[in-house]
Amino acid sequence: MSREKSPDYARIPSMTVLLDAAARDARLRAMPRGPLTDALRQAVDDYRARLRTRDEEGDITAAAILDAAARILDAHHARRLTPVINATGVILHTGLGRSVLAPSAVERLARVAAGYCNLELNLSDAKRSRRGAFAENLICRLTGAQAAMIVNNNAAATLLALRGLAAGREVLVSRGQLIEIGGSYRLPDVMQAGGAILREVGTTNKTHLRDYENAITERTAMIMHVHTSNYRVVGFSESPGVRELASLAHAHGLVMFDDLGSGALLNDDLWRAANEPTVVESLHAGADFVAFSGDKLLGGPQAGILLGNRETIERLREDPMARALRIDKLTIAALEATLELYDDHARARQEIPTLAALSESIDSLTARAESLATSLRQAMPGESFIVAQDESFAGGGSLPAWPLPTAVIRWKPLAFSVDEIARRLRQGDPAVLLRIREDTCLIDLRTVPSESLPALIDALRSAAQCP
Ligand SMILES: *Cc1c(COP(=O)(O)O)cnc(C)c1O
């Protein structure tokens, strides 16, 4: 028979002793009482559990519990939002917050956040105004759309369009376009939430115009085109474009809605090279409504933008759900400043980080990589840094088939495994994410602006040092 042993909890120091010791501990001294007590309690609970399940040799000292509490607090703080140096080369990294804002957008946001602002007040006549109207006008002017509605994100824009234009009726979508983005956005679910009935047409790889045409009945309200922005069906595949779908829709008195997602705004060499459709092209091709994100290729804050005719957009604004999905003043501030940069194409490409990263040339990337490698060799003698060619990714559900040649630095750390180095870098301040391939770390310069290089060098140096 096994001997039941009752744990001796008295071996654990009391909370009074622990708080006393914490007041003399450099790591914990400045901690507010609430979180400190919680962390100490959790550490004590962990020790109690250990006493129940296995033999703990020797004394359980206050110092050991303080160490555990300090680790608990560190882990807790690591979950708050904090800047990350993105050396992965994935430009629109959803896990890292997609687009980085332009300096002028950050400045506008900070100024508006610090005090009151004219969010819903017209300062020239002191009358009430609609929030976001200025940004909506900017988008209309830039794209030629009649009206715009800006909401929380593209999923919200799509939901509102479906509710307002197709509730209780059928929407035709090609099977090849039933997308899932990042696990949380599924078109069939959004369709259901919008009260519309999904009518799938064609097959995954082939859908013909006649498939749409044959599916039209008196229950049909809309033909929807979804830009397959995070994957491409390549090879033996085809499906009609926006122009053909719009003509078909109009010939039958239906509405044509283009869920563009990625949101490349204006026609530009950059998008031509990537074969990426733009908002302007979609409108020209005859789409009645176009929806896209603010924080993908547009390079602004998280937002969803729906373009269409004035009368319908005004009607969609009346949906109570639009109130629930409206955007906040900080987003509006950042979006206005971002859109203002588009008045000058060259300036937009330079100052909007997403566009700057997408358009940086291989020569510039190689020169920056060579220079960083030289600094790293000086800062970390003995370690080897090799500049090599590789490929970056647009990411974030954008430009899947556009290879972006880049320059990376390859590094095989001497003293640690790459997994250990990656862990140390993630937990540093600032945190650093890089690309790992087999047993090599890759630092992709495309997503690291020059201002971040000194901090990156420091982070790499301290990650490679033994404690
Ligand atoms: C990204 C994307 C969405 C979702 O956009 P959010 O702004 O993240 O809500 C919807 N549709 C398409 C085609 C997309 O690419």
Side-chain angles (χ1 to χ4, degrees):
M1 243 178 70
S2 75
R3 191 163 49 96
E4 274 293 330
K5 191 165 62 81
S6 74
D8 182 7
Y9 294 140
R11 288 166 62 201
I12 298 178
S14 73
M15 195 47 90
T16 321
V17 169
L18 291 172
L19 282 169
D20 222 48
R24 282 176 273 110
D25 184 295
R27 294 165 300 180
L28 303 173
R29 211 167 25 217
M31 274 294 147
R33 181 81 174 211
L36 176 61
T37 323
D38 286 351
L40 287 170
R41 276 214 190 96
Q42 195 186 325
V44 166
D45 285 348
D46 292 347
Y47 270 100
R48 282 169 177 260
R50 279 156 70 169
L51 284 178
R52 273 199 304 277
T53 54
R54 60 186 142 103
D55 291 327
E56 266 311 304
E57 296 292 325
D59 283 343
I60 296 167
T61 61
I65 294 183
L66 293 197
D67 281 349
R71 278 196 300 275
I72 289 167
L73 285 166
D74 277 350
H76 169 72
H77 288 146
R79 284 197 293 269
R80 65 182 164 205
L81 281 187
T82 188
V84 172
I85 295 179
N86 173 13
T88 64
V90 180
I91 299 170
L92 296 171
H93 194 303
T94 298
L96 301 182
R98 289 193 186 156
S99 270
V100 173
L101 295 178
S104 61
V106 174
E107 198 184 307
R108 188 82 57 87
L109 185 156
R111 270 180 30 164
V112 166
Y116 297 103
C117 68
N118 56 338
L119 181 62
E120 294 186 359
L121 184 78
N122 184 339
L123 292 176
S124 51
D125 59 10
K127 291 221 172 84
R128 188 164 177 129
S129 66
R130 197 182 64 247
R131 69 168 59 209
F134 181 77
E136 287 166 357
N137 289 341
L138 282 178
I139 293 176
C140 290
R141 207 190 64 220
L142 288 166
T143 60
Q146 212 179 65
M149 174 162 72
I150 305 174
V151 288
N152 183 59
N153 57 12
N154 188 34
T158 304
L159 179 68
L160 290 170
L162 290 169
R163 279 170 62 86
L165 300 164
R169 304 184 61 199
E170 287 186 0
V171 177
L172 310 185
V173 186
S174 159
R175 277 211 173 77
Q177 294 171 7
L178 288 173
I179 52 165
E180 168 169 338
I181 293 165
S184 61
Y185 181 93
R186 284 207 176 113
L187 185 60
D189 298 343
V190 177
M191 194 75 74
Q192 195 174 23
I197 300 152
L198 173 63
R199 186 74 208 277
E200 299 176 28
V201 300
T203 62
T204 311
N205 64 335
K206 279 212 174 197
T207 306
H208 305 281
L209 197 63
R210 64 171 182 276
D211 295 326
Y212 287 91
E213 194 156 16
N214 292 341
I216 295 175
T217 67
E218 71 285 359
R219 293 183 301 277
T220 314
M222 173 192 281
I223 297 181
M224 182 172 177
H225 180 266
V226 184
H227 177 39
T228 52
S229 50
N230 63 343
Y231 66 94
R232 294 260 153 101
V233 179
V234 290
F236 186 64
S237 76
E238 67 180 62
S239 63
V242 173
R243 188 174 300 279
E244 291 165 272
L245 293 178
S247 330
L248 178 67
H250 298 156
H252 292 264
L254 306 173
V255 156
M256 199 268 153
F257 172 48
D258 189 14
D259 175 12
L260 205 44
S262 43
L265 204 57
L266 310 180
N267 296 343
D268 186 297
D269 300 344
L270 203 54
W271 311 133
R272 259 189 290 281
N275 219 353
E276 174 72 15
T278 66
V279 174
V280 168
E281 273 164 14
S282 173
L283 289 169
H284 281 173
D288 301 298
F289 297 90
V290 181
F292 53 98
S293 300
D295 55 352
K296 291 186 182 168
L297 297 178
L298 193 152
Q302 180 191 307
I305 297 156
L306 180 67
L307 305 180
N309 72 68
R310 194 169 293 117
E311 206 183 334
T312 313
I313 294 284
E314 288 308 328
R315 181 164 64 75
L316 297 185
R317 289 190 212 285
E318 302 301 317
D319 184 342
M321 196 65 101
R323 172 66 173 74
L325 298 171
R326 75 179 183 184
I327 57 168
D328 73 299
K329 61 180 179 177
L330 304 185
T331 307
I332 295 171
L335 187 59
E336 285 181 1
T338 306
L339 291 169
E340 282 178 329
L341 291 170
Y342 275 93
D343 278 332
D344 177 346
H345 251 191
R347 188 159 169 230
R349 269 218 208 181
Q350 246 167 28
E351 293 186 25
I352 296 175
T354 301
L355 301 187
L358 282 167
S359 38
E360 184 167 2
S361 71
I362 185 69
D363 289 347
S364 158
L365 288 160
T366 307
R368 293 206 296 128
E370 296 283 3
S371 150
L372 175 62
T374 306
S375 306
L376 286 171
R377 286 177 203 124
Q378 272 160 17
M380 299 163 68
E383 299 279 350
S384 142
F385 298 97
I386 297 162
V387 175
Q389 302 267 319
D390 212 279
E391 263 179 24
S392 314
F393 304 92
S398 301
L399 307 169
W402 190 25
L404 284 168
T406 192
V408 296
I409 295 177
R410 287 198 215 185
W411 173 39
K412 267 191 211 188
L414 285 177
F416 298 99
S417 70
V418 289
D419 289 340
E420 175 60 13
I421 283 286
R423 190 191 62 77
R424 287 167 154 242
L425 285 168
R426 275 198 315 275
Q427 291 175 3
D429 180 20
V432 175
L433 256 77
L434 34 69
R435 198 144 87 224
I436 305 256
R437 187 174 304 142
E438 282 139 30
D439 56 351
T440 310
C441 299
L442 300 183
I443 301 158
D444 189 336
L445 270 286
R446 190 181 286 279
T447 43
V448 186
S450 295
E451 310 85 81
S452 303
L453 293 177
L456 177 60
I457 295 169
D458 280 350
L460 292 170
R461 184 171 47 199
S462 53
Q465 262 158 14
C466 299

